[in-house]
Amino acid sequence: KLSTLPKRAKLLKCIFLLAFPHVGFFCVCPSHDTVRELMDAQKEEATEEGINYVAMRNLFVREAREALDVKVVKKTRSTQIKESVERMELSRTLDEWTQFRRKMNPDNLTHPPEFTVKPRGQTVWEGKTVKLHCTVAGWPRPKVAWYKNNVLIDVKAHPEKYTVESNYNMHSLEIKNCDFFDTAQYYISALNVKGEASSVATVVVKRKFKRLKIKVGLFKLTAHGVTFETTIIDKFEVAFGREGETLSLGCTVIVYPTVKKYQPEVVWYRNSVPLKPSKWVHTHWSGERATLTLIHLNKEDEGLYTLRVNTKSGFDTYSAYVFVQDADVEVEGVPVAPLDVRCHDVNKDYVVVTWKQPAVEGSSSIQGYYIDRCEVGCHHWALCNDVPVKYARFPVTGLVEGRSYIFRVRAVNKAGISRPSRVSEAVVAMDPSDRARLRAGPLAPWTGMIKFTEEDPTVGVVPGEPTDVVVTEATKSYVVLAWKPPVQRGHEGVMYYIEKCISGTDTWQRVNTSAPVKSPRFALFDLAEGKSYSFRVRCCNSAGVSEPSVSTGEITVGDKLDLPSVPSIPVATRNTATSVVVFWKACKDVKHLVGYYIECSVVGTDVWMPCNNKPVKQTRFVCHGLTTGANYVFRVKAVNPAGYSQSSPNSDALVVLPAICECLHHNSSPLFTLLLVCHVYDVIYWTECFIKRNGLFSVSLPISSNSLSLNSTGVTLLEAVKDYMVLGWSPPANNGGADIRGYFLDYRTVKGNAVGKWHELNHKALTTTSYKAENLKENVFYEFQVRAMNMAGVSKASLPSASLECKEWTLTVPGVPVGLHVLEIRDTSVVVLWETPTFDGRTPVNGYYLDFKEASAGEECWKAAHEKVNKMKYMKVTGLKSGTSYVFRVRAQNLAGVGKPSELVGPVLAKTLPGTKEIYVDVDDDGVISMIFEFPEMKPGSEFVWSKNYQAIDASRLTIVSEQGKSRAIFNSPSLEDLGTFSCVVTNTDGISSSFTLTEEGESLLLCSSAWFNKIWFSPVIPFKTEMAMELLEKGRVRFWTQVEKCTSACQVEYVFNDLIISHGQKYTMNFDKNTGIIEMFMDSLEVTDEGTYTFNLVDGKAKGTTSLVLIGEEFMELQKKSQFERAEWVRKQGPHFVEYLDFVVTSECDVLLKCKVGNVRPETEITWSKNSIEIAEGDEDLSKKDAGVYEVFLKDDRGRDKSTFNLTDAGNPQMEQLISLLCAIISNSSSEIKVISTEHGIILYSTVTYYNEDLRVAWLHKEAKIAASERVKAGVTGEQLWLKINEPTEKDKGRYTMDIFDGKGSVKRFVDLIGQAWEEGKSLNLTGNVWGDPVPEVSWTKNDKLLVSDERYKLKFEQGKFASITIAAVTTTDSGKYALLVKNKYGTEAGEFTVSVYNPDDEEAKEEKKD
């Protein structure tokens, strides 16, 4: 029903605005009277239509049947024009008839959604674009939503990924640049008032197999031709802060190359969770430096902080831990503040607050916790529990619905109460279903139908009983009940009463006697520990109280959650000079584990300090901030909501020193000790002695352990300048079973026969076998030694080098090659590899010479392995004797000559290692060529590494597949580019390797025997970059297109439709761009005869290619409809047309404005308004109820015509409902704040609105309870004033009053607090106020805004310039009213207001007797 409007008369306003020549606006604005009278007019029209319905229906049907009889005859031009006019008139008559039938039978028109064309599943390659189409029928027009795996697709959040289109009943979802993760089921859900329907389509994205090179810490991917490399410098270290302080973390980020206007994405994480800017967290990116500032630190801020820099080529990260220490306590011995306060299960008047226990309990154990709450916007904290609770979880009740709250927690022990924790996030006390409706998003899709049926009115129906009453939490402090609301509960809300029964009795006692609860949750306190209770729930509303629910059964009051068990003995290992790594075994059978706290103590002090102030869940923790050289012990305790576990036994004492340290031995050799720890189920690959202890293993490796890498060979000089020298060395012959991770270089000065102390040159391990020693002194002699490191530790130092003088070289020949090592050791051959010299000499190096000799032979026995200079950095030496050991050296050559020989590599025993196999080539049935290398004795951690010409391979040429001791290198596209030597090395072995040389002759044989070769050579196919596709263009034109990867200028295309060759002409337009490879064919429109298969046949020399597209059935019909629609739209827009169709706007003054937007209009364009097909004259005003109807706007000139319609008749149509809803919202929001006036009979509360609507729902509440109408309290409306009258007010009438106005969707509330004092009739009344001001203000008193003067009844006094009073000797009910004390001087005016209510005691007693 359309809302009625105020009875004041307003005229219909017609506004016509045009902006020639293209766009214009025109609209109709009905007045309030017009809108108010629409529904009355609707009833009158329905009556008239009912009387004449049968006659009109027969008339229209007969005329329609006669008009539809078609005869084929020859007609003149004038006859055709005349009949065309008649057909147009008939069409108009049929349209009016259809509108009439819709009015008479609206239910026959509406129907639920139905998918006439369902979306079809598709399979595409990565990088392609896929589009899902469907057609949905239904009235009213359904609203659709797309989902991916039941998750709503947010198109606005991902516009670069998704595009959704809806044209009339046709809907589409476009997924751009598909990747593997777009493989999913895509649902479309359609919903209207009649029901819901959904359909699903599966999209499969195939991945093209590519080998991706990954570099640790940096992904190198090319984007737009630029590969960005990210380097993070000036890194923040482990940081320590204190609660209340401000801490900043920062790093300098270098992105190379620098691209103008391009900035990387900088993201900060705490414990792998992204940080969002807030009042506690500030982030800043200057373009070079990323900074994170933590304002007012709290223990919640403790954790691992990570800086991640994202570029288009990958990302780089850096992490460090931040520790937050507790602030100093105000009273010694009290606990520190709890942390991480959160709110759960928020309801109308109930919320569960949880927190984490602090690390430090103080001088005594924590006895419990106090929970405080505060309304948002206030500063008053209210205590939620009178007795401390030990459980770190507490249900808070008594909240006021609709208000927002924050919470904090304080711990208490014998010494006192801690400081409060950081406040929780604000929560609103409201029903969870209402909260879900306020959040974004429609419901998840489903396959089914929703049927809407008419429900019987439920006003005055007693609700049903609640169901599924269960105990969700039970402790010795409280018990929490939860249940489901009843199915039968009426349109009004329900509340609940909770009853309990002690075990062994049949007496049920109501728990909440004062007031029912609103939420389906309730916490019961003050229950006797150890006793058993049963519970049940009743519902109530204004009609009465329901039957009780099913009892919960007997529940024993007591803690259901046990304390955690004691953790195992921790194991501490060295890490750095100020940190230690602590391991322990997790607690057994612990429930709801919060985490662990680690404590440390210096041996002999018995003072325990927390290592972490925020519990951690992992069983490994790095304790930072320790004193170097101090002896510490450690212990661990677990925490869950029930409390702390007992502390674990103390660990073994450990002196805090770096994990890599040197201590002098009797032979001055470095001694290194390393402790490795792993879990029982981990695998350890060393053969040393294992000691089992508390479920962990520890391994101690002495200096002679085989797991340590053997000594590196001697250091040689590669280049020398005035103040630096470049040094080189060879890796050790045995790596100890693990990869070499780096080297440490030492130096000492030499003066004659005296040598100095050894000093470290590098503090971080070197990853290369050369190093530039800087800041040396010129003409001073130095000795150097080197140590290798693997995962087990650091080796002994190599023998000292010869004394090397630091002075600039003047040599013209190159320096010595470096990095000599051997591979592929066989009985008669070996492969030697090396790197270029650091010093090239006067000219660049142009070749190398390799020499070898038996290890036992003299210097005169050196032999050249080759005669001509070798330009490669590797060489295979053949002709060796099996079982003989050899040494090798290399010399570099430039134009000036041959340089000195390198350091020797070897001795190398010429003997094939056991288990060594050779690489062999395989061609499978599909013609795929691959090289295979096998090594069945693979160890964990070992892997196959392939190379070509002993350099890294090109991933685009080969695909590597390794599994179960076999590695296969597959040629992606064999060609002459693949010629060369391919080698494969197995890491973490004694040098297992092999190679295979692919020559031109050998590859030719492989290709000739390959099915791949035969297929490509004898049956060449033109590759298509894109298969044939179709798209719809402007004017309804259809474009068929495809693109080939490559073609020559001689390529020809044959266009075929249903096996018939078609050519360029009036219907078809063809185009072939041979530069881009794009082939196109255009059709102006689609006819019925165009259904079939379209094919492009290509011929390019011997190569051929074919691509087709099938357009048949529903797909063709859908495309044809779209084409015709686009064509019609284009024709319509050639003349005057509607850019925006007729719609309405409601102004703030509640005027209803009908408007539309037109385009392509001219001065001569006719614009006509009509209502119910009757033209509206420009001077028509004074509209009445009969003006309800269908409004139309017509555009017409010599180029064409267009029409727009707006229906203002049916109260059930969506346009009318939207208008009413918007109107109610404006009325509600226009209401003023509640004002109070006093009368001789009592008090009036009132609020004014712009105008009043009789259907506007207004409710008055007193103290959150709805006010029932009575003779003393009445609510009503006068004009545009909403009021509540309270006659003869009493003390009970004091409190908060709420006016609740329904705005169509929610409610708008206005509040006022009535405070004051009710005075008994016959007694004297004295009102006093203290006044201050300079100069002394003037004082006056008013009653109900009328000035009072001092007389026999009212005695007004103002004493000492401070005290103002008014005295009424004997008050009567006429003295009730609103009094005000006004003070004024030249600087301003101020007033103090209060309300006085006078009642007659006799009248009150009489009323009480009537109630009894």
Side-chain angles (χ1 to χ4, degrees):
K1 181 180 180 181
L2 185 64
S3 302
T4 55
L5 300 176
K7 298 181 179 179
R8 62 176 183 269
K10 289 194 176 181
L11 300 179
L12 174 67
K13 302 177 182 178
C14 296
I15 303 174
F16 176 55
L17 301 174
L18 288 179
F20 294 105
H22 299 294
V23 179
F25 299 87
F26 54 90
C27 50
V28 173
C29 175
S31 67
H32 298 316
D33 287 338
T34 303
V35 178
R36 184 185 59 197
E37 296 168 352
L38 288 179
M39 286 308 300
D40 296 336
Q42 183 182 6
K43 294 180 180 178
E44 296 176 4
E45 291 180 357
T47 302
E48 294 176 0
E49 291 170 349
I51 295 173
N52 300 318
Y53 168 71
V54 176
M56 294 177 67
R57 182 189 60 185
N58 296 336
L59 173 63
F60 289 139
V61 169
R62 184 172 62 254
E63 291 178 355
R65 290 177 179 175
E66 292 174 358
L68 291 176
D69 292 335
V70 180
K71 297 180 181 179
V72 180
V73 295
K74 293 184 179 180
K75 301 177 181 178
T76 63
R77 177 66 176 173
S78 59
T79 303
Q80 291 179 349
I81 294 174
K82 182 178 180 181
E83 290 182 352
S84 176
V85 173
E86 291 176 352
R87 282 196 300 270
M88 294 175 63
E89 185 64 26
L90 176 62
S91 176
R92 179 179 176 180
T93 304
L94 291 175
D95 288 342
E96 293 175 351
W97 176 51
T98 302
Q99 294 294 333
F100 172 77
R101 292 297 302 271
R102 288 181 181 177
K103 296 176 186 177
M104 298 300 296
N105 299 287
D107 292 336
N108 294 340
L109 178 65
T110 59
H111 61 277
E114 179 184 1
F115 283 88
T116 56
V117 177
K118 296 183 179 180
R120 295 187 299 177
Q122 301 186 39
T123 301
V124 296
W125 290 104
E126 277 189 321
K128 303 297 182 181
T129 297
V130 64
K131 200 168 187 178
L132 304 177
H133 301 270
C134 67
T135 302
V136 183
W139 185 263
R141 183 174 296 169
K143 295 182 178 180
V144 301
W146 290 89
Y147 299 82
K148 176 183 178 182
N149 289 338
N150 291 342
V151 178
L152 179 67
I153 296 176
D154 191 349
V155 179
K156 294 182 179 179
H158 305 284
E160 76 288 348
K161 188 68 179 178
Y162 302 104
T163 300
V164 172
E165 295 181 357
S166 294
N167 295 324
Y168 293 85
N169 292 334
M170 296 177 289
H171 308 276
S172 66
L173 170 67
E174 183 178 12
I175 309 171
K176 307 170 187 175
N177 193 20
C178 291
D179 56 26
F180 180 75
F181 298 102
D182 290 323
T183 300
Q185 286 186 329
Y186 291 84
Y187 293 84
I188 178 172
S189 175
L191 176 69
N192 67 5
V193 295
K194 283 295 183 177
E196 182 186 26
S198 61
S199 183
V200 61
T202 302
V203 174
V204 178
V205 181
K206 289 189 176 182
R207 173 178 291 175
K208 296 181 180 179
F209 187 86
K210 293 184 179 180
R211 183 174 178 85
L212 182 63
K213 291 184 179 180
I214 302 179
K215 181 180 179 182
V216 177
L218 179 64
F219 291 84
K220 288 188 174 182
L221 300 175
T222 302
H224 307 294
V226 179
T227 301
F228 294 99
E229 294 190 4
T230 306
T231 305
I232 300 177
I233 60 175
D234 295 340
K235 303 173 181 177
F236 59 93
E237 302 295 335
V238 175
F240 295 87
R242 186 176 294 273
E243 282 190 313
E245 297 177 350
T246 297
L247 179 67
S248 293
L249 310 175
C251 291
T252 300
V253 180
I254 299 176
V255 179
Y256 180 82
T258 302
V259 178
K260 188 176 181 182
K261 294 185 180 180
Y262 174 77
Q263 291 294 330
E265 180 188 16
V266 178
V267 185
W268 288 90
Y269 295 82
R270 181 197 297 135
N271 297 330
S272 302
V273 178
L275 292 177
K276 296 181 179 179
S278 64
K279 66 178 181 178
W280 308 114
V281 178
H282 294 172
T283 59
H284 178 68
W285 167 247
S286 66
E288 296 180 354
R289 186 167 181 82
T291 306
L292 172 68
T293 303
L294 303 175
I295 307 298
H296 198 281
L297 282 174
N298 274 80
K299 289 177 288 189
E300 288 87 345
D301 298 322
E302 183 172 295
L304 182 66
Y305 284 79
T306 302
L307 169 65
R308 176 177 174 133
V309 182
N310 298 321
T311 64
K312 293 183 179 296
S313 302
F315 66 89
D316 198 3
T317 61
Y318 172 73
S319 302
Y321 212 90
V322 173
F323 293 87
V324 180
Q325 300 174 356
D326 287 294
D328 295 335
V329 296
E330 298 177 356
V331 179
E332 185 176 358
V334 300
V336 298
L339 66 155
D340 202 12
V341 180
R342 298 176 182 267
C343 298
H344 310 274
D345 197 12
V346 184
N347 269 273
K348 294 180 180 179
D349 54 2
Y350 168 90
V351 67
V352 175
V353 180
T354 62
W355 61 91
K356 294 179 182 177
Q357 296 91 335
V360 179
E361 295 185 80
S363 59
S364 62
S365 298
I366 292 178
Q367 298 175 342
Y369 301 88
Y370 285 115
I371 299 90
D372 302 328
R373 75 183 181 198
C374 177
E375 285 192 34
V376 174
C378 302
H379 301 286
H380 173 68
W381 287 92
L383 190 62
C384 298
N385 55 316
D386 299 328
V387 179
V389 293
K390 284 193 174 182
Y391 203 75
R393 184 181 178 94
F394 185 76
V396 178
T397 58
L399 305 180
V400 179
E401 185 179 1
R403 298 188 184 180
S404 299
Y405 295 88
I406 55 177
F407 299 87
R408 69 183 187 186
V409 181
R410 296 172 292 160
V412 59
N413 66 0
K414 294 180 179 179
I417 302 177
S418 73
R419 293 179 297 100
S421 66
R422 176 184 278 185
V423 299
S424 69
E425 295 290 336
V427 294
V428 182
M430 63 188 303
D431 190 273
S433 59
D434 294 337
R435 183 181 293 103
R437 283 193 293 268
L438 291 176
R439 292 175 181 169
L443 298 177
W446 71 337
T447 55
M449 300 290 294
I450 298 177
K451 294 184 179 180
F452 293 83
T453 58
E454 297 271 341
E455 292 188 1
D456 294 332
T458 55
V459 178
V461 176
V462 177
E465 65 273 7
T467 58
D468 299 340
V469 182
V470 294
V471 176
T472 58
E473 296 182 38
T475 69
K476 60 185 178 182
S477 301
Y478 62 86
V479 170
V480 177
L481 298 178
W483 59 89
K484 291 183 180 179
V487 177
Q488 179 183 343
R489 50 182 167 175
H491 293 313
E492 59 180 315
V494 295
M495 294 185 286
Y496 308 94
Y497 287 110
I498 292 85
E499 299 176 349
K500 69 178 180 180
C501 177
I502 302 177
S503 179
T505 66
D506 296 330
T507 304
W508 288 90
Q509 300 175 354
R510 182 168 291 180
V511 178
N512 54 329
T513 56
S514 59
V517 297
K518 298 180 179 179
S519 303
R521 304 283 191 278
F522 189 74
L524 292 87
F525 299 90
D526 301 329
L527 300 176
E529 183 179 358
K531 283 190 176 183
S532 297
Y533 296 86
S534 298
F535 304 95
R536 68 186 187 185
V537 183
R538 293 177 184 263
C539 288
C540 66
N541 62 7
S542 60
V545 181
S546 74
E547 293 296 323
S549 66
V550 178
S551 172
T552 60
E554 294 185 358
I555 303 296
T556 302
V557 177
D559 290 335
K560 302 297 182 182
L561 183 65
D562 297 328
L563 294 174
S565 58
V566 181
S568 64
I569 300 177
V571 177
T573 61
R574 290 173 182 167
N575 187 40
T576 66
T578 58
S579 65
V580 166
V581 182
V582 180
F583 301 84
W584 63 93
K585 189 178 180 181
C587 298
K588 295 182 179 179
D589 301 327
V590 62
K591 295 182 180 178
H592 306 293
L593 177 68
V594 174
Y596 299 92
Y597 282 118
I598 302 90
E599 298 176 318
C600 64
S601 175
V602 178
V603 174
T605 61
D606 198 27
V607 176
W608 291 94
M609 298 170 293
C611 297
N612 61 314
N613 286 294
K614 185 177 181 181
V616 294
K617 285 195 173 182
Q618 63 270 22
T619 56
R620 177 188 181 274
F621 189 74
V622 181
C623 302
H624 288 271
L626 306 179
T627 304
T628 305
N631 198 10
Y632 285 89
V633 292
F634 300 86
R635 69 184 186 188
V636 182
K637 61 181 178 182
V639 183
N640 72 355
Y644 303 90
S645 72
Q646 295 182 2
S647 297
S648 68
N650 298 346
S651 68
D652 294 335
L654 180 70
V655 179
V656 180
L657 290 173
I660 301 176
C661 59
E662 293 183 356
C663 53
L664 294 179
H665 199 260
H666 66 279
N667 57 0
S668 298
S669 298
L671 179 65
F672 176 78
T673 302
L674 177 67
L675 186 65
L676 297 176
V677 180
C678 68
H679 288 282
V680 176
Y681 299 102
D682 292 345
V683 181
I684 300 181
Y685 298 101
W686 294 284
T687 59
E688 281 70 30
C689 177
F690 295 86
I691 303 173
K692 185 172 182 181
R693 182 179 183 181
N694 298 319
L696 301 175
F697 290 115
S698 62
V699 184
S700 180
L701 302 179
I703 189 171
S704 60
S705 170
N706 291 333
S707 290
L708 293 176
S709 55
L710 299 182
N711 300 358
S712 302
T713 57
V715 179
T716 58
L717 181 63
L718 305 180
E719 182 182 359
V721 191
K722 291 182 179 181
D723 57 350
Y724 71 86
M725 290 190 288
V726 179
L727 309 168
W729 58 90
S730 299
N734 189 343
N735 61 9
D739 290 336
I740 301 298
R741 293 190 173 183
Y743 300 92
F744 293 95
L745 195 63
D746 304 329
Y747 76 97
R748 65 183 178 185
T749 58
V750 179
K751 199 170 186 179
N753 295 326
V755 294
K757 293 182 178 181
W758 288 103
H759 301 280
E760 292 182 353
L761 265 175
N762 60 302
H763 298 287
K764 292 185 179 181
L766 304 172
T767 57
T768 60
T769 56
S770 61
Y771 181 71
K772 182 179 180 180
E774 298 179 305
N775 299 323
L776 303 180
K777 296 181 180 179
E778 190 176 5
N779 300 322
V780 175
F781 287 87
Y782 294 90
E783 289 184 357
F784 301 91
Q785 65 181 20
V786 65
R787 295 170 292 162
M789 180 187 72
N790 65 4
M791 65 181 298
V794 181
S795 72
K796 290 182 180 180
S798 66
L799 295 176
S801 66
S803 296
L804 304 175
E805 185 179 5
C806 183
K807 68 176 183 180
E808 188 168 4
W809 279 358
T810 58
L811 301 175
T812 57
V813 295
V816 298
V818 296
L820 271 71
H821 60 284
V822 295
L823 291 176
E824 304 173 26
I825 303 175
R826 301 292 186 267
D827 291 339
T828 59
S829 64
V830 67
V831 176
V832 183
L833 300 94
W834 61 88
E835 297 296 333
T836 57
T838 306
F839 179 71
D840 288 343
R842 182 177 299 174
T843 59
V845 174
N846 57 16
Y848 303 92
Y849 291 97
L850 174 63
D851 304 328
F852 71 98
K853 72 180 184 69
E854 294 183 5
S856 58
E859 290 295 323
E860 67 281 357
C861 296
W862 284 102
K863 299 179 183 178
H866 53 96
E867 295 181 0
K868 296 183 179 180
V869 63
N870 177 25
K871 295 187 178 182
M872 308 299 291
K873 292 185 291 184
Y874 64 91
M875 187 173 186
K876 185 173 184 178
V877 181
T878 59
L880 305 180
K881 297 179 182 179
S882 179
T884 304
S885 296
Y886 293 87
V887 292
F888 303 89
R889 69 183 186 187
V890 180
R891 293 170 293 152
Q893 170 188 282
N894 63 4
L895 295 179
V898 180
K900 294 182 180 180
S902 67
E903 286 292 316
L904 305 183
V905 59
V908 178
L909 180 63
K911 186 176 182 180
T912 304
L913 297 176
T916 301
K917 296 183 179 182
E918 300 297 336
I919 296 175
Y920 63 93
V921 179
D922 175 68
V923 180
D924 62 14
D925 295 338
D926 296 328
V928 177
I929 304 174
S930 59
M931 297 178 293
I932 301 175
F933 183 53
E934 299 178 352
F935 183 64
E937 294 81 14
M938 289 285 289
K939 297 180 181 179
S942 299
E943 60 180 4
F944 294 96
V945 179
W946 286 83
S947 61
K948 178 183 178 183
N949 296 332
Y950 301 97
Q951 294 181 353
I953 62 173
D954 183 1
S956 64
R957 306 299 306 170
L958 288 177
T959 299
I960 308 300
V961 180
S962 301
E963 56 181 2
Q964 299 180 354
K966 179 188 289 187
S967 182
R968 180 189 296 268
I970 304 172
F971 288 97
N972 296 332
S973 179
S975 65
L976 296 179
E977 297 180 16
D978 297 317
L979 300 181
T981 300
F982 294 88
S983 64
C984 184
V985 178
V986 182
T987 61
N988 294 338
T989 61
D990 294 332
I992 298 297
S993 59
S994 181
S995 63
F996 179 84
T997 301
L998 186 62
T999 61
E1000 187 172 355
E1001 295 80 4
E1003 186 179 38
S1004 299
L1005 293 175
L1006 289 174
L1007 292 177
C1008 289
S1009 63
S1010 169
W1012 172 87
F1013 175 81
N1014 294 330
K1015 179 180 178 182
I1016 297 299
W1017 181 258
F1018 295 108
S1019 301
V1021 177
I1022 299 176
F1024 284 90
K1025 193 173 184 179
T1026 303
E1027 293 295 334
M1028 184 188 290
M1030 177 274 303
E1031 63 178 333
L1032 198 60
L1033 304 179
E1034 189 182 9
K1035 302 183 184 180
R1037 300 184 71 208
V1038 182
R1039 173 180 179 247
F1040 299 89
W1041 69 281
T1042 186
Q1043 185 176 11
V1044 296
E1045 291 187 358
K1046 190 176 182 180
C1047 65
T1048 65
S1049 58
C1051 184
Q1052 299 295 325
V1053 182
E1054 185 179 68
Y1055 303 89
V1056 179
F1057 170 63
N1058 289 344
D1059 298 330
L1060 298 177
I1061 299 176
I1062 56 179
S1063 59
H1064 187 93
Q1066 184 177 0
K1067 185 171 184 178
Y1068 303 101
T1069 303
M1070 289 81 167
N1071 181 40
F1072 182 15
D1073 189 343
K1074 297 180 181 179
N1075 295 326
T1076 61
I1078 296 178
I1079 306 171
E1080 299 173 301
M1081 182 178 75
F1082 299 91
M1083 298 175 62
D1084 290 338
S1085 62
L1086 282 179
E1087 306 296 338
V1088 178
T1089 56
D1090 294 326
E1091 183 177 6
T1093 302
Y1094 295 83
T1095 305
F1096 293 167
N1097 293 328
L1098 282 74
V1099 178
D1100 191 359
K1102 295 183 178 181
K1104 297 181 180 180
T1106 300
T1107 179
S1108 300
L1109 181 66
V1110 179
L1111 284 179
I1112 59 176
E1114 294 181 356
E1115 186 175 359
F1116 173 78
M1117 294 175 62
E1118 179 183 354
L1119 179 62
Q1120 184 185 18
K1121 290 179 181 178
K1122 288 184 179 180
S1123 175
Q1124 292 174 351
F1125 173 77
E1126 292 293 336
R1127 179 74 177 177
E1129 280 293 291
W1130 179 81
V1131 172
R1132 183 178 70 89
K1133 293 180 181 179
Q1134 300 309 302
H1137 63 277
F1138 289 93
V1139 178
E1140 294 179 3
Y1141 286 97
L1142 200 59
D1143 200 355
F1144 72 92
V1145 174
V1146 181
T1147 66
S1148 58
E1149 291 79 15
C1150 297
D1151 291 329
V1152 180
L1153 184 70
L1154 299 184
K1155 68 172 186 178
C1156 58
K1157 185 177 180 180
V1158 299
N1160 198 14
V1161 296
R1162 294 177 179 175
E1164 61 270 17
T1165 302
E1166 297 180 7
I1167 302 175
T1168 306
W1169 285 82
S1170 69
K1171 190 268 295 181
N1172 293 337
S1173 302
I1174 301 174
E1175 184 176 352
I1176 300 175
E1178 184 175 354
D1180 287 352
E1181 294 181 352
D1182 298 331
L1183 298 182
S1184 63
K1185 296 180 180 180
K1186 296 183 179 180
D1187 292 315
V1190 178
Y1191 287 85
E1192 296 175 314
V1193 184
F1194 298 90
L1195 303 178
K1196 181 181 178 181
D1197 61 15
D1198 56 355
R1199 297 168 298 160
R1201 60 181 296 168
D1202 201 359
K1203 181 179 74 171
S1204 178
T1205 304
F1206 190 81
N1207 190 349
L1208 276 179
T1209 57
D1210 296 333
N1213 70 59
Q1215 293 175 333
M1216 185 64 68
E1217 291 179 355
Q1218 185 181 3
L1219 173 61
I1220 295 173
S1221 177
L1222 187 57
L1223 211 54
C1224 288
I1226 295 178
I1227 296 172
S1228 302
N1229 290 311
S1230 68
S1231 60
S1232 65
E1233 295 297 329
I1234 298 177
K1235 299 180 181 180
V1236 182
I1237 61 174
S1238 298
T1239 65
E1240 60 181 2
H1241 300 291
I1243 301 172
I1244 298 178
L1245 312 181
Y1246 70 93
S1247 174
T1248 58
V1249 294
T1250 304
Y1251 71 94
Y1252 174 68
N1253 179 352
E1254 291 180 358
D1255 291 336
L1256 193 67
R1257 286 184 278 175
V1258 181
W1260 288 89
L1261 296 89
H1262 180 218
K1263 297 179 180 179
E1264 305 299 330
K1266 188 174 181 180
I1267 299 175
S1270 64
E1271 293 183 0
R1272 195 175 67 89
V1273 180
K1274 297 180 180 179
V1277 181
T1278 301
E1280 292 153 356
Q1281 188 181 87
L1282 313 177
W1283 49 262
L1284 175 70
K1285 292 182 180 179
I1286 305 175
N1287 296 327
E1288 299 179 2
T1290 64
E1291 286 285 341
K1292 296 180 181 179
D1293 295 319
K1294 293 182 0 180
R1296 166 167 283 200
Y1297 285 82
T1298 304
M1299 183 181 67
D1300 192 342
I1301 309 175
F1302 180 71
D1303 66 355
K1305 295 183 179 179
S1307 63
V1308 176
K1309 295 182 179 181
R1310 299 289 184 260
F1311 305 93
V1312 67
D1313 289 323
L1314 278 187
I1315 56 175
Q1317 188 169 2
W1319 212 257
E1320 185 176 343
E1321 188 176 15
K1323 295 184 179 181
S1324 62
L1325 171 65
N1326 180 267
L1327 305 176
T1328 305
N1330 296 333
V1331 178
W1332 181 90
D1334 188 14
V1336 176
E1338 300 176 2
V1339 176
S1340 61
W1341 290 85
T1342 63
K1343 174 188 175 184
N1344 296 335
D1345 297 329
K1346 294 182 180 180
L1347 187 65
L1348 294 178
V1349 295
S1350 182
D1351 54 15
E1352 295 180 357
R1353 183 168 183 77
Y1354 300 103
K1355 295 182 180 180
L1356 309 181
K1357 295 182 180 180
F1358 184 43
E1359 300 173 343
Q1360 302 177 9
K1362 295 183 180 179
F1363 308 105
S1365 64
I1366 179 173
T1367 303
I1368 306 174
V1371 296
T1372 64
T1373 55
T1374 58
D1375 292 321
S1376 298
K1378 181 179 177 183
Y1379 289 80
L1381 172 61
L1382 304 178
V1383 292
K1384 178 181 179 182
N1385 64 8
K1386 64 179 183 179
Y1387 294 110
T1389 303
E1390 191 170 351
E1393 298 179 351
F1394 47 89
T1395 302
V1396 174
S1397 299
V1398 181
Y1399 68 97
N1400 191 329
D1402 297 334
D1403 295 342
E1404 294 295 321
E1405 292 178 0
K1407 292 179 182 178
E1408 294 295 333
E1409 291 175 358
K1410 289 181 180 181
K1411 292 181 179 180
D1412 296 338

